[in-house]
Amino acid sequence: MTDLCVSGCTVAFGGLKAINDLTLTIPSGAITGLIGPNGSGKSTFCNMVSGQIPPSGGRVRLGEKDITGWRSDQAVAAGLARTYQVPRVPKELTIGEVIGVPFRYARSSRELPRQMSTTADLARFCGLAPALDTACADLSISDLRRLEIARALACKPRVLLLDEAMAGLSLEDTAQVIELVREVHAAGITIVVIEHVMRIIATLCQHAVVLNNGRLLSQGTPEVVLRDPAVREAYLGKGFGP
Amino acid sequence: MSARYSLLTYIAVAVGLGAIALAGNAFLIQAAIGVAISAILALSWDILSRTGQVSLGQSAFFGIGAYGSGLLTPQFGVVLGWVAGILLCAVAAILIGLVTLRLRRLYFTIATLSFGLSMQVLILVTPGITGGSTGIMPPVLMGGSPPAQLLLITGFLVVAAIVSDIFLSDRFRPAFFMIRSNPALAASSGVPVVATKIMAFAVSGMVAGVAGACYGGLYGYVIPEDVFTPNWSILPLAVSILGGMDTTLGPILGALVLRFLEEIARHYVGGVGYQVVYGAVIILFIVILPRGLVGGLRQLLRKLARRDAVPARSRSEAKA
């Protein structure tokens, strides 16, 4: 069973193929780690499946639906939500207003578990301490990341893409966000984590996918993938393998 | 802004302008009509600007409203003629929006500017339908009675204020602001960005069309230069920025203060020079109050509230 599946997809920026004839499947109900060196195509993958950049070839499927070339809001309606690496929320809006937007607009047919069913519930579930009427301008980076996860969850997704949701957080905050991701997963949502820190992938994910130069380099359990000589070479260069 | 403040704004507008209409001072009535029409036009501009689209083409909708209602009223009667004229604005906005709202901000602004300028040419080259440069003679509003005209236009202003408040409600405000500051985030939150922008543009066009229809019906005579002048595109921008963007009160207050400044400058400076002084005063206002009069007032109220709150807390602490 797969929730998200891309086959033969290519995204080119001028002469550079950021995604190059990529075929991969994200297993249903798992936490999958998407890793790769800088410029390997992780973020482009995220932008492609979430509808921001249409692939020039190939298909993107979400469950039974072919969502190739769909707009972001249509992908959200189909059940795919994403967070952004740099959360640029409108400063003049409050926490409650930001979470309220997908609650009003996302046309996903899925329902969230009771502990996430309202704006206040979601904020509490994601560990947002400030009150709902706090302006986003006054939030810390850690709260902005939690808000970003809460906003994405309010889209009621079946698949959630987390684009470096833990980057720039303290060790303590990272541990809390890891715990949060586990709870989201326990609520029945398939998760794709884009992450640079291998330790997080190793502790959090059941499945790992490695991209390099826009192609699939390796996939499998994190233990297997992180030991793969090809992966070590892609990260560290030739001669650093075991 | 809470519902109570909105209601207070509607009542203040209705009572203030209504009182002027009933008092019967001819000069004040004409000034109030001008203020009300500017306020409606400024609200139309502000509604659109909340989605991040800066229009320099409101004069096109102003003119289409004036011409549409003026030309269609003899055919369909006042009510249907106005409705059709204003719907024409929505159709124009949707067509222009379909082409231009995919463009990035500045390109959209330039597109609206050229739309505004080209409308006047369109009128000039179609004298058979639109009267060309000689203009048209729309039916005069309310039998030409200025107090009755003011009352009618006040009614339209209240309607425009209600429309503006609907777009400041929880249903639209957060989505509009998100489209303005980060359209990708809005789309990833399920908001159909282009459709929402086109909808805002159509509503904005219709509200501007109402202002134009009111203006066209004042004297029973309209020439293209009257309604398609770029002044009607610049005015709503200046009024909204002066009064305070993203609010309903701002454009209304801005229209009032701008007219007041204009009259004072005309009285004390006179000639053509008054326009320079008046322009300088507007710039000064914008420099001192970047968030407009309403933003400045809010800041002042917040400061006063804080000054009241601090001693109260220290007093309770002293007791404890």
Side-chain angles (χ1 to χ4, degrees), chain B residues 114-189:
Chain B
S114 55
F115 171 53
L117 297 174
S118 59
M119 273 312 297
Q120 189 172 344
V121 179
L122 190 68
I123 300 286
L124 292 177
V125 298
T126 53
I129 310 166
T130 63
S133 60
T134 50
I136 55 166
M137 298 180 75
V140 184
L141 273 180
M142 309 301 277
S145 149
Q149 289 180 338
L150 176 56
L151 288 177
L152 180 74
I153 296 171
T154 301
F156 283 122
L157 175 55
V158 171
V159 172
I162 293 171
V163 172
S164 164
D165 277 331
I166 289 172
F167 286 103
L168 285 174
S169 68
D170 283 350
R171 175 103 189 87
F172 294 105
R173 195 185 90 105
F176 274 29
F177 285 8
M178 211 181 254
I179 289 173
R180 174 165 71 189
S181 67
N182 192 345
L185 188 73
S188 296
S189 303

Side-chain angles (χ1 to χ4, degrees), chain A residues 50 52 71-74 76 80-82 84 86-94 97-98 101-107 148 151-152 155, chain B residues 102 168-196 199 246 291:
Chain A
S50 66
Q52 270 168 301
R71 295 190 314 261
S72 294
D73 57 298
Q74 294 171 316
V76 166
L80 186 113
R82 66 164 296 178
Y84 285 87
V86 184
R88 283 190 302 117
V89 282
K91 289 195 187 79
E92 59 268 56
L93 293 184
T94 64
E97 285 173 329
V98 168
V101 169
F103 265 134
R104 275 172 204 280
Y105 285 88
R107 286 172 291 113
E148 203 26 30
R151 184 199 57 75
C155 296
Chain B
R102 286 164 211 277
L168 285 174
S169 68
D170 283 350
R171 175 103 189 87
F172 294 105
R173 195 185 90 105
F176 274 29
F177 285 8
M178 211 181 254
I179 289 173
R180 174 165 71 189
S181 67
N182 192 345
L185 188 73
S188 296
S189 303
V191 181
V193 172
V194 173
T196 306
M199 186 265 291
D246 305 337
R291 304 195 141 264

Side-chain angles (χ1 to χ4, degrees), chain A residues 24-92:
Chain A
L24 69 83
T25 56
I26 303 293
S28 180
I31 304 179
T32 299
L34 183 62
I35 57 179
N38 282 330
S40 59
K42 304 184 298 290
S43 286
T44 307
F45 173 83
C46 213
N47 291 337
M48 178 185 79
V49 296
S50 66
Q52 270 168 301
I53 307 169
S56 58
R59 317 295 321 163
V60 179
R61 297 183 66 83
L62 185 73
E64 292 77 44
K65 289 190 190 110
D66 186 335
I67 62 164
T68 317
W70 286 22
R71 295 190 314 261
S72 294
D73 57 298
Q74 294 171 316
V76 166
L80 186 113
R82 66 164 296 178
T83 64
Y84 285 87
Q85 200 174 335
V86 184
R88 283 190 302 117
V89 282
K91 289 195 187 79
E92 59 268 56

Side-chain angles (χ1 to χ4, degrees), chain B:
Chain B
M1 190 72 49
S2 72
R4 201 159 43 125
Y5 281 106
S6 299
L7 203 61
L8 221 60
T9 307
Y10 310 149
I11 292 171
V13 167
V15 170
L17 295 179
I20 290 174
L22 297 179
N25 178 316
F27 168 75
L28 273 185
I29 288 175
Q30 287 308 324
I33 287 175
V35 167
I37 290 178
S38 308
I40 297 173
L41 191 60
L43 283 170
S44 85
W45 183 87
D46 196 72
I47 290 169
L48 181 66
S49 85
R50 294 170 203 162
T51 63
Q53 310 299 313
V54 174
S55 165
L56 279 178
Q58 294 307 89
S59 67
F61 300 112
F62 191 80
I64 293 172
Y67 265 81
S69 65
L71 288 169
L72 295 170
T73 296
Q75 318 278 333
F76 303 114
V78 179
V79 176
L80 273 184
W82 272 53
V83 169
I86 288 156
L87 282 179
L88 207 60
C89 294
V91 172
I94 291 169
L95 291 178
I96 299 288
L98 280 173
V99 183
T100 60
L101 280 171
R102 286 164 211 277
L103 301 176
R104 284 191 173 255
R105 290 176 184 185
L106 194 56
Y107 297 101
F108 171 78
T109 303
I110 294 166
T112 57
L113 180 64
S114 55
F115 171 53
L117 297 174
S118 59
M119 273 312 297
Q120 189 172 344
V121 179
L122 190 68
I123 300 286
L124 292 177
V125 298
T126 53
I129 310 166
T130 63
S133 60
T134 50
I136 55 166
M137 298 180 75
V140 184
L141 273 180
M142 309 301 277
S145 149
Q149 289 180 338
L150 176 56
L151 288 177
L152 180 74
I153 296 171
T154 301
F156 283 122
L157 175 55
V158 171
V159 172
I162 293 171
V163 172
S164 164
D165 277 331
I166 289 172
F167 286 103
L168 285 174
S169 68
D170 283 350
R171 175 103 189 87
F172 294 105
R173 195 185 90 105
F176 274 29
F177 285 8
M178 211 181 254
I179 289 173
R180 174 165 71 189
S181 67
N182 192 345
L185 188 73
S188 296
S189 303
V191 181
V193 172
V194 173
T196 306
K197 283 200 224 172
I198 290 175
M199 186 265 291
F201 196 32
V203 170
S204 165
M206 287 196 287
V207 175
V210 169
C214 291
Y215 182 84
L218 285 180
Y219 313 110
Y221 183 58
V222 173
I223 54 170
E225 292 89 88
D226 268 351
V227 290
F228 288 107
T229 162
N231 286 357
W232 293 119
S233 296
I234 307 293
L235 178 84
L237 188 142
V239 164
S240 297
I241 293 174
L242 176 69
M245 288 165 62
D246 305 337
T247 63
T248 296
L249 185 59
I252 297 173
L253 205 59
L256 182 71
V257 171
L258 199 68
R259 181 60 187 243
F260 192 65
L261 290 176
E262 189 185 340
E263 292 300 335
I264 288 182
R266 209 201 304 265
H267 182 78
Y268 284 104
V269 186
V272 194
Y274 90 91
Q275 289 188 336
V276 177
V277 175
Y278 158 68
V281 172
I282 294 173
I283 293 172
L284 202 67
F285 256 93
I286 291 168
V287 169
I288 299 170
L289 297 170
R291 304 195 141 264
L293 294 165
V294 171
L297 279 176
R298 277 188 190 159
Q299 211 170 353
L300 190 71
L301 287 176
R302 229 173 289 145
K303 233 178 237 175
L304 288 176
R306 220 173 291 155
R307 197 179 297 168
D308 285 347
V310 170
R313 199 186 304 154
S314 52
R315 247 179 277 135
S316 65
E317 274 166 13
K319 247 183 241 170

